[in-house]
PDB file of all heavy atoms in Angstrom:
ATOM      1  N   ARG L1478     -86.860  23.314  47.401  1.00 93.00           N
ATOM      2  CA  ARG L1478     -88.304  23.551  47.457  1.00 93.00           C
ATOM      3  C   ARG L1478     -89.006  22.691  48.494  1.00 93.00           C
ATOM      4  O   ARG L1478     -89.968  23.128  49.130  1.00 93.00           O
ATOM      5  CB  ARG L1478     -88.920  23.291  46.079  1.00 93.00           C
ATOM      6  CG  ARG L1478     -90.388  23.602  45.996  1.00 93.00           C
ATOM      7  CD  ARG L1478     -90.822  23.798  44.569  1.00 93.00           C
ATOM      8  NE  ARG L1478     -92.189  24.273  44.491  1.00 93.00           N
ATOM      9  CZ  ARG L1478     -92.732  24.818  43.421  1.00 93.00           C
ATOM     10  NH1 ARG L1478     -91.996  24.977  42.334  1.00 93.00           N
ATOM     11  NH2 ARG L1478     -93.984  25.204  43.406  1.00 93.00           N
ATOM     12  N   HIS L1479     -88.555  21.454  48.664  1.00 92.00           N
ATOM     13  CA  HIS L1479     -89.273  20.524  49.537  1.00 92.00           C
ATOM     14  C   HIS L1479     -88.417  19.962  50.666  1.00 92.00           C
ATOM     15  O   HIS L1479     -88.925  19.206  51.497  1.00 92.00           O
ATOM     16  CB  HIS L1479     -89.812  19.346  48.718  1.00 92.00           C
ATOM     17  CG  HIS L1479     -90.697  19.743  47.578  1.00 92.00           C
ATOM     18  ND1 HIS L1479     -91.993  20.174  47.754  1.00 92.00           N
ATOM     19  CD2 HIS L1479     -90.455  19.784  46.235  1.00 92.00           C
ATOM     20  CE1 HIS L1479     -92.532  20.455  46.563  1.00 92.00           C
ATOM     21  NE2 HIS L1479     -91.615  20.225  45.633  1.00 92.00           N
ATOM     22  N   GLY L1480     -87.135  20.302  50.701  1.00 85.00           N
ATOM     23  CA  GLY L1480     -86.233  19.654  51.647  1.00 85.00           C
ATOM     24  C   GLY L1480     -86.301  20.154  53.072  1.00 85.00           C
ATOM     25  O   GLY L1480     -85.687  19.557  53.960  1.00 85.00           O
ATOM     26  N   ALA L1481     -87.026  21.250  53.323  1.00 85.00           N
ATOM     27  CA  ALA L1481     -87.121  21.742  54.701  1.00 85.00           C
ATOM     28  C   ALA L1481     -87.762  20.696  55.604  1.00 85.00           C
ATOM     29  O   ALA L1481     -87.411  20.572  56.776  1.00 85.00           O
ATOM     30  CB  ALA L1481     -87.911  23.045  54.740  1.00 85.00           C
ATOM     31  N   ASP L1482     -88.705  19.966  55.056  1.00 87.00           N
ATOM     32  CA  ASP L1482     -89.336  18.862  55.774  1.00 87.00           C
ATOM     33  C   ASP L1482     -88.906  17.567  55.084  1.00 87.00           C
ATOM     34  O   ASP L1482     -89.354  17.281  53.973  1.00 87.00           O
ATOM     35  CB  ASP L1482     -90.853  18.999  55.744  1.00 87.00           C
ATOM     36  CG  ASP L1482     -91.560  17.873  56.490  1.00 87.00           C
ATOM     37  OD1 ASP L1482     -90.868  16.946  56.974  1.00 87.00           O
ATOM     38  OD2 ASP L1482     -92.798  17.910  56.590  1.00 87.00           O
ATOM     39  N   PRO L1483     -88.034  16.783  55.709  1.00 81.00           N
ATOM     40  CA  PRO L1483     -87.547  15.545  55.062  1.00 81.00           C
ATOM     41  C   PRO L1483     -88.668  14.608  54.636  1.00 81.00           C
ATOM     42  O   PRO L1483     -88.562  13.932  53.610  1.00 81.00           O
ATOM     43  CB  PRO L1483     -86.670  14.905  56.139  1.00 81.00           C
ATOM     44  CG  PRO L1483     -86.254  16.043  57.010  1.00 81.00           C
ATOM     45  CD  PRO L1483     -87.421  16.984  57.024  1.00 81.00           C
ATOM     46  N   LEU L1484     -89.765  14.578  55.406  1.00 89.00           N
ATOM     47  CA  LEU L1484     -90.869  13.691  55.051  1.00 89.00           C
ATOM     48  C   LEU L1484     -91.600  14.192  53.812  1.00 89.00           C
ATOM     49  O   LEU L1484     -92.098  13.390  53.016  1.00 89.00           O
ATOM     50  CB  LEU L1484     -91.846  13.572  56.226  1.00 89.00           C
ATOM     51  CG  LEU L1484     -91.306  12.837  57.453  1.00 89.00           C
ATOM     52  CD1 LEU L1484     -92.363  12.759  58.542  1.00 89.00           C
ATOM     53  CD2 LEU L1484     -90.816  11.443  57.077  1.00 89.00           C
ATOM     54  N   GLU L1485     -91.678  15.500  53.637  1.00 91.00           N
ATOM     55  CA  GLU L1485     -92.323  16.040  52.432  1.00 91.00           C
ATOM     56  C   GLU L1485     -91.558  15.618  51.186  1.00 91.00           C
ATOM     57  O   GLU L1485     -92.148  15.223  50.177  1.00 91.00           O
ATOM     58  CB  GLU L1485     -92.399  17.566  52.499  1.00 91.00           C
ATOM     59  CG  GLU L1485     -93.023  18.192  51.249  1.00 91.00           C
ATOM     60  CD  GLU L1485     -93.007  19.711  51.289  1.00 91.00           C
ATOM     61  OE1 GLU L1485     -92.709  20.273  52.356  1.00 91.00           O
ATOM     62  OE2 GLU L1485     -93.284  20.328  50.242  1.00 91.00           O
ATOM     63  N   LEU L1486     -90.247  15.685  51.245  1.00 93.00           N
ATOM     64  CA  LEU L1486     -89.430  15.266  50.106  1.00 93.00           C
ATOM     65  C   LEU L1486     -89.584  13.774  49.845  1.00 93.00           C
ATOM     66  O   LEU L1486     -89.714  13.334  48.700  1.00 93.00           O
ATOM     67  CB  LEU L1486     -87.959  15.611  50.373  1.00 93.00           C
ATOM     68  CG  LEU L1486     -86.988  15.354  49.222  1.00 93.00           C
ATOM     69  CD1 LEU L1486     -87.304  16.264  48.048  1.00 93.00           C
ATOM     70  CD2 LEU L1486     -85.549  15.567  49.685  1.00 93.00           C
ATOM     71  N   ALA L1487     -89.610  12.988  50.919  1.00 93.00           N
ATOM     72  CA  ALA L1487     -89.687  11.530  50.775  1.00 93.00           C
ATOM     73  C   ALA L1487     -91.031  11.074  50.222  1.00 93.00           C
ATOM     74  O   ALA L1487     -91.122  10.008  49.601  1.00 93.00           O
ATOM     75  CB  ALA L1487     -89.422  10.862  52.117  1.00 93.00           C
ATOM     76  N   GLN L1488     -92.076  11.853  50.436  1.00 93.00           N
ATOM     77  CA  GLN L1488     -93.408  11.453  49.976  1.00 93.00           C
ATOM     78  C   GLN L1488     -93.655  11.800  48.511  1.00 93.00           C
ATOM     79  O   GLN L1488     -94.638  11.349  47.929  1.00 93.00           O
ATOM     80  CB  GLN L1488     -94.472  12.126  50.847  1.00 93.00           C
ATOM     81  CG  GLN L1488     -94.503  11.584  52.264  1.00 93.00           C
ATOM     82  CD  GLN L1488     -95.387  12.416  53.187  1.00 93.00           C
ATOM     83  OE1 GLN L1488     -95.879  13.474  52.802  1.00 93.00           O
ATOM     84  NE2 GLN L1488     -95.566  11.937  54.407  1.00 93.00           N
ATOM     85  N   GLY L1489     -92.761  12.605  47.918  1.00 94.00           N
ATOM     86  CA  GLY L1489     -92.944  13.010  46.539  1.00 94.00           C
ATOM     87  C   GLY L1489     -92.545  11.925  45.555  1.00 94.00           C
ATOM     88  O   GLY L1489     -91.986  10.887  45.913  1.00 94.00           O
ATOM     89  N   MET L1490     -92.842  12.170  44.284  1.00 95.00           N
ATOM     90  CA  MET L1490     -92.526  11.228  43.214  1.00 95.00           C
ATOM     91  C   MET L1490     -91.911  11.992  42.047  1.00 95.00           C
ATOM     92  O   MET L1490     -92.376  13.067  41.674  1.00 95.00           O
ATOM     93  CB  MET L1490     -93.780  10.491  42.739  1.00 95.00           C
ATOM     94  CG  MET L1490     -93.532   9.515  41.587  1.00 95.00           C
ATOM     95  SD  MET L1490     -95.057   8.740  40.952  1.00 95.00           S
ATOM     96  CE  MET L1490     -95.556   7.789  42.380  1.00 95.00           C
ATOM     97  N   VAL L1491     -90.852  11.429  41.475  1.00 96.00           N
ATOM     98  CA  VAL L1491     -90.195  12.002  40.302  1.00 96.00           C
ATOM     99  C   VAL L1491     -90.262  10.970  39.186  1.00 96.00           C
ATOM    100  O   VAL L1491     -89.703   9.874  39.307  1.00 96.00           O
ATOM    101  CB  VAL L1491     -88.733  12.387  40.599  1.00 96.00           C
ATOM    102  CG1 VAL L1491     -88.096  13.021  39.361  1.00 96.00           C
ATOM    103  CG2 VAL L1491     -88.654  13.348  41.786  1.00 96.00           C
ATOM    104  N   LEU L1492     -90.947  11.316  38.110  1.00 95.00           N
ATOM    105  CA  LEU L1492     -91.030  10.443  36.939  1.00 95.00           C
ATOM    106  C   LEU L1492     -89.863  10.763  36.014  1.00 95.00           C
ATOM    107  O   LEU L1492     -89.656  11.919  35.638  1.00 95.00           O
ATOM    108  CB  LEU L1492     -92.348  10.666  36.196  1.00 95.00           C
ATOM    109  CG  LEU L1492     -93.633  10.489  37.002  1.00 95.00           C
ATOM    110  CD1 LEU L1492     -94.846  10.741  36.119  1.00 95.00           C
ATOM    111  CD2 LEU L1492     -93.706   9.102  37.623  1.00 95.00           C
ATOM    112  N   LEU L1493     -89.107   9.741  35.642  1.00 95.00           N
ATOM    113  CA  LEU L1493     -87.907   9.916  34.828  1.00 95.00           C
ATOM    114  C   LEU L1493     -87.974   9.004  33.608  1.00 95.00           C
ATOM    115  O   LEU L1493     -88.718   8.020  33.596  1.00 95.00           O
ATOM    116  CB  LEU L1493     -86.663   9.595  35.674  1.00 95.00           C
ATOM    117  CG  LEU L1493     -86.433  10.576  36.844  1.00 95.00           C
ATOM    118  CD1 LEU L1493     -85.467   9.979  37.857  1.00 95.00           C
ATOM    119  CD2 LEU L1493     -85.916  11.905  36.344  1.00 95.00           C
ATOM    120  N   PRO L1494     -87.192   9.310  32.572  1.00 93.00           N
ATOM    121  CA  PRO L1494     -87.347   8.558  31.315  1.00 93.00           C
ATOM    122  C   PRO L1494     -86.915   7.105  31.368  1.00 93.00           C
ATOM    123  O   PRO L1494     -87.510   6.265  30.702  1.00 93.00           O
ATOM    124  CB  PRO L1494     -86.504   9.361  30.318  1.00 93.00           C
ATOM    125  CG  PRO L1494     -85.550  10.146  31.149  1.00 93.00           C
ATOM    126  CD  PRO L1494     -86.275  10.451  32.417  1.00 93.00           C
ATOM    127  N   ASN L1495     -85.871   6.770  32.125  1.00 91.00           N
ATOM    128  CA  ASN L1495     -85.367   5.398  32.106  1.00 91.00           C
ATOM    129  C   ASN L1495     -84.569   5.128  33.377  1.00 91.00           C
ATOM    130  O   ASN L1495     -84.377   6.016  34.230  1.00 91.00           O
ATOM    131  CB  ASN L1495     -84.505   5.153  30.860  1.00 91.00           C
ATOM    132  CG  ASN L1495     -83.486   6.257  30.649  1.00 91.00           C
ATOM    133  OD1 ASN L1495     -82.780   6.649  31.574  1.00 91.00           O
ATOM    134  ND2 ASN L1495     -83.408   6.774  29.432  1.00 91.00           N
ATOM    135  N   ASN L1496     -84.109   3.904  33.514  1.00 90.00           N
ATOM    136  CA  ASN L1496     -83.381   3.500  34.719  1.00 90.00           C
ATOM    137  C   ASN L1496     -82.041   4.213  34.850  1.00 90.00           C
ATOM    138  O   ASN L1496     -81.563   4.444  35.966  1.00 90.00           O
ATOM    139  CB  ASN L1496     -83.171   1.982  34.710  1.00 90.00           C
ATOM    140  CG  ASN L1496     -84.463   1.214  34.887  1.00 90.00           C
ATOM    141  OD1 ASN L1496     -85.372   1.686  35.562  1.00 90.00           O
ATOM    142  ND2 ASN L1496     -84.564   0.053  34.273  1.00 90.00           N
ATOM    143  N   ARG L1497     -81.423   4.546  33.731  1.00 93.00           N
ATOM    144  CA  ARG L1497     -80.165   5.294  33.784  1.00 93.00           C
ATOM    145  C   ARG L1497     -80.387   6.669  34.413  1.00 93.00           C
ATOM    146  O   ARG L1497     -79.586   7.127  35.226  1.00 93.00           O
ATOM    147  CB  ARG L1497     -79.590   5.440  32.375  1.00 93.00           C
ATOM    148  CG  ARG L1497     -78.237   6.135  32.328  1.00 93.00           C
ATOM    149  CD  ARG L1497     -77.637   6.117  30.936  1.00 93.00           C
ATOM    150  NE  ARG L1497     -78.488   6.792  29.966  1.00 93.00           N
ATOM    151  CZ  ARG L1497     -79.226   6.183  29.051  1.00 93.00           C
ATOM    152  NH1 ARG L1497     -79.248   4.862  28.991  1.00 93.00           N
ATOM    153  NH2 ARG L1497     -79.955   6.861  28.200  1.00 93.00           N
ATOM    154  N   ALA L1498     -81.492   7.313  34.059  1.00 95.00           N
ATOM    155  CA  ALA L1498     -81.812   8.614  34.646  1.00 95.00           C
ATOM    156  C   ALA L1498     -82.115   8.483  36.133  1.00 95.00           C
ATOM    157  O   ALA L1498     -81.761   9.363  36.924  1.00 95.00           O
ATOM    158  CB  ALA L1498     -82.996   9.236  33.912  1.00 95.00           C
ATOM    159  N   VAL L1499     -82.750   7.384  36.518  1.00 93.00           N
ATOM    160  CA  VAL L1499     -83.028   7.158  37.942  1.00 93.00           C
ATOM    161  C   VAL L1499     -81.727   7.081  38.724  1.00 93.00           C
ATOM    162  O   VAL L1499     -81.589   7.687  39.807  1.00 93.00           O
ATOM    163  CB  VAL L1499     -83.856   5.866  38.124  1.00 93.00           C
ATOM    164  CG1 VAL L1499     -83.882   5.442  39.598  1.00 93.00           C
ATOM    165  CG2 VAL L1499     -85.279   6.072  37.614  1.00 93.00           C
ATOM    166  N   ARG L1500     -80.748   6.361  38.201  1.00 95.00           N
ATOM    167  CA  ARG L1500     -79.455   6.265  38.888  1.00 95.00           C
ATOM    168  C   ARG L1500     -78.763   7.622  38.955  1.00 95.00           C
ATOM    169  O   ARG L1500     -78.193   7.992  39.991  1.00 95.00           O
ATOM    170  CB  ARG L1500     -78.571   5.238  38.183  1.00 95.00           C
ATOM    171  CG  ARG L1500     -79.047   3.799  38.321  1.00 95.00           C
ATOM    172  CD  ARG L1500     -78.003   2.811  37.817  1.00 95.00           C
ATOM    173  NE  ARG L1500     -77.792   2.947  36.380  1.00 95.00           N
ATOM    174  CZ  ARG L1500     -78.467   2.261  35.466  1.00 95.00           C
ATOM    175  NH1 ARG L1500     -79.412   1.422  35.828  1.00 95.00           N
ATOM    176  NH2 ARG L1500     -78.203   2.419  34.176  1.00 95.00           N
ATOM    177  N   ALA L1501     -78.807   8.365  37.863  1.00 97.00           N
ATOM    178  CA  ALA L1501     -78.143   9.666  37.825  1.00 97.00           C
ATOM    179  C   ALA L1501     -78.769  10.643  38.807  1.00 97.00           C
ATOM    180  O   ALA L1501     -78.059  11.364  39.525  1.00 97.00           O
ATOM    181  CB  ALA L1501     -78.186  10.233  36.407  1.00 97.00           C
ATOM    182  N   VAL L1502     -80.091  10.686  38.864  1.00 97.00           N
ATOM    183  CA  VAL L1502     -80.774  11.607  39.777  1.00 97.00           C
ATOM    184  C   VAL L1502     -80.573  11.157  41.221  1.00 97.00           C
ATOM    185  O   VAL L1502     -80.384  11.984  42.123  1.00 97.00           O
ATOM    186  CB  VAL L1502     -82.263  11.711  39.427  1.00 97.00           C
ATOM    187  CG1 VAL L1502     -83.026  12.504  40.484  1.00 97.00           C
ATOM    188  CG2 VAL L1502     -82.436  12.379  38.059  1.00 97.00           C
ATOM    189  N   GLY L1503     -80.593   9.848  41.462  1.00 95.00           N
ATOM    190  CA  GLY L1503     -80.337   9.374  42.819  1.00 95.00           C
ATOM    191  C   GLY L1503     -78.951   9.762  43.301  1.00 95.00           C
ATOM    192  O   GLY L1503     -78.782  10.217  44.445  1.00 95.00           O
ATOM    193  N   ASP L1504     -77.956   9.629  42.429  1.00 95.00           N
ATOM    194  CA  ASP L1504     -76.593  10.048  42.790  1.00 95.00           C
ATOM    195  C   ASP L1504     -76.531  11.558  43.013  1.00 95.00           C
ATOM    196  O   ASP L1504     -75.807  12.029  43.904  1.00 95.00           O
ATOM    197  CB  ASP L1504     -75.613   9.650  41.680  1.00 95.00           C
ATOM    198  CG  ASP L1504     -75.419   8.142  41.578  1.00 95.00           C
ATOM    199  OD1 ASP L1504     -75.785   7.438  42.543  1.00 95.00           O
ATOM    200  OD2 ASP L1504     -74.921   7.680  40.534  1.00 95.00           O
ATOM    201  N   ALA L1505     -77.279  12.311  42.219  1.00 96.00           N
ATOM    202  CA  ALA L1505     -77.279  13.762  42.374  1.00 96.00           C
ATOM    203  C   ALA L1505     -77.874  14.174  43.715  1.00 96.00           C
ATOM    204  O   ALA L1505     -77.396  15.123  44.360  1.00 96.00           O
ATOM    205  CB  ALA L1505     -78.054  14.409  41.228  1.00 96.00           C
ATOM    206  N   PHE L1506     -78.915  13.471  44.162  1.00 95.00           N
ATOM    207  CA  PHE L1506     -79.487  13.764  45.478  1.00 95.00           C
ATOM    208  C   PHE L1506     -78.451  13.513  46.578  1.00 95.00           C
ATOM    209  O   PHE L1506     -78.354  14.285  47.537  1.00 95.00           O
ATOM    210  CB  PHE L1506     -80.729  12.911  45.722  1.00 95.00           C
ATOM    211  CG  PHE L1506     -82.012  13.555  45.281  1.00 95.00           C
ATOM    212  CD1 PHE L1506     -82.715  13.062  44.199  1.00 95.00           C
ATOM    213  CD2 PHE L1506     -82.519  14.653  45.956  1.00 95.00           C
ATOM    214  CE1 PHE L1506     -83.900  13.645  43.786  1.00 95.00           C
ATOM    215  CE2 PHE L1506     -83.704  15.254  45.556  1.00 95.00           C
ATOM    216  CZ  PHE L1506     -84.398  14.744  44.460  1.00 95.00           C
ATOM    217  N   VAL L1507     -77.685  12.434  46.432  1.00 92.00           N
ATOM    218  CA  VAL L1507     -76.657  12.130  47.434  1.00 92.00           C
ATOM    219  C   VAL L1507     -75.619  13.242  47.474  1.00 92.00           C
ATOM    220  O   VAL L1507     -75.200  13.692  48.552  1.00 92.00           O
ATOM    221  CB  VAL L1507     -75.995  10.770  47.129  1.00 92.00           C
ATOM    222  CG1 VAL L1507     -74.805  10.537  48.054  1.00 92.00           C
ATOM    223  CG2 VAL L1507     -77.017   9.644  47.270  1.00 92.00           C
ATOM    224  N   ARG L1508     -75.190  13.715  46.309  1.00 92.00           N
ATOM    225  CA  ARG L1508     -74.206  14.800  46.261  1.00 92.00           C
ATOM    226  C   ARG L1508     -74.759  16.086  46.859  1.00 92.00           C
ATOM    227  O   ARG L1508     -74.059  16.806  47.577  1.00 92.00           O
ATOM    228  CB  ARG L1508     -73.755  15.049  44.824  1.00 92.00           C
ATOM    229  CG  ARG L1508     -72.893  13.960  44.234  1.00 92.00           C
ATOM    230  CD  ARG L1508     -72.255  14.400  42.929  1.00 92.00           C
ATOM    231  NE  ARG L1508     -73.248  14.619  41.890  1.00 92.00           N
ATOM    232  CZ  ARG L1508     -73.675  13.683  41.044  1.00 92.00           C
ATOM    233  NH1 ARG L1508     -73.180  12.450  41.130  1.00 92.00           N
ATOM    234  NH2 ARG L1508     -74.569  13.950  40.122  1.00 92.00           N
ATOM    235  N   ALA L1509     -76.029  16.369  46.582  1.00 92.00           N
ATOM    236  CA  ALA L1509     -76.609  17.639  47.041  1.00 92.00           C
ATOM    237  C   ALA L1509     -76.983  17.617  48.509  1.00 92.00           C
ATOM    238  O   ALA L1509     -77.061  18.677  49.145  1.00 92.00           O
ATOM    239  CB  ALA L1509     -77.840  17.973  46.197  1.00 92.00           C
ATOM    240  N   SER L1510     -77.198  16.430  49.084  1.00 87.00           N
ATOM    241  CA  SER L1510     -77.683  16.357  50.466  1.00 87.00           C
ATOM    242  C   SER L1510     -76.597  16.621  51.490  1.00 87.00           C
ATOM    243  O   SER L1510     -76.865  17.126  52.571  1.00 87.00           O
ATOM    244  CB  SER L1510     -78.287  14.980  50.725  1.00 87.00           C
ATOM    245  OG  SER L1510     -77.282  13.977  50.669  1.00 87.00           O
ATOM    246  N   ARG L1511     -75.347  16.237  51.141  1.00 77.00           N
ATOM    247  CA  ARG L1511     -74.223  16.391  52.078  1.00 77.00           C
ATOM    248  C   ARG L1511     -74.503  15.698  53.407  1.00 77.00           C
ATOM    249  O   ARG L1511     -74.138  16.167  54.481  1.00 77.00           O
ATOM    250  CB  ARG L1511     -73.922  17.864  52.316  1.00 77.00           C
ATOM    251  CG  ARG L1511     -73.528  18.616  51.060  1.00 77.00           C
ATOM    252  CD  ARG L1511     -73.239  20.070  51.345  1.00 77.00           C
ATOM    253  NE  ARG L1511     -72.894  20.789  50.127  1.00 77.00           N
ATOM    254  CZ  ARG L1511     -72.614  22.093  50.083  1.00 77.00           C
ATOM    255  NH1 ARG L1511     -72.631  22.810  51.193  1.00 77.00           N
ATOM    256  NH2 ARG L1511     -72.324  22.666  48.930  1.00 77.00           N
ATOM    257  N   GLY L1512     -75.171  14.581  53.346  1.00 72.00           N
ATOM    258  CA  GLY L1512     -75.488  13.842  54.561  1.00 72.00           C
ATOM    259  C   GLY L1512     -76.675  12.930  54.302  1.00 72.00           C
ATOM    260  O   GLY L1512     -76.986  12.589  53.166  1.00 72.00           O
ATOM    261  N   GLY L1513     -77.369  12.534  55.362  1.00 74.00           N
ATOM    262  CA  GLY L1513     -78.512  11.654  55.214  1.00 74.00           C
ATOM    263  C   GLY L1513     -79.684  12.365  54.555  1.00 74.00           C
ATOM    264  O   GLY L1513     -79.910  13.558  54.768  1.00 74.00           O
TER     265      GLY L1513
END
């Protein structure tokens, strides 16, 4: 939805329940990005 413009994605905010969820979602972004 927002990845066409890397800056648009970077400016967004995702509220998550706890620090464990933050780590899980961060790892998921790395897997889905296939790069920087």
Side-chain angles (χ1 to χ4, degrees):
R1478 184 160 188 164
H1479 304 285
D1482 180 356
L1484 292 181
E1485 178 184 349
L1486 185 65
Q1488 291 170 353
M1490 178 184 295
V1491 182
L1492 304 180
L1493 295 163
N1495 48 48
N1496 291 328
R1497 183 174 60 254
V1499 167
R1500 291 190 294 269
V1502 172
D1504 291 344
F1506 269 111
V1507 172
R1508 290 192 294 270
S1510 66
R1511 299 180 181 179

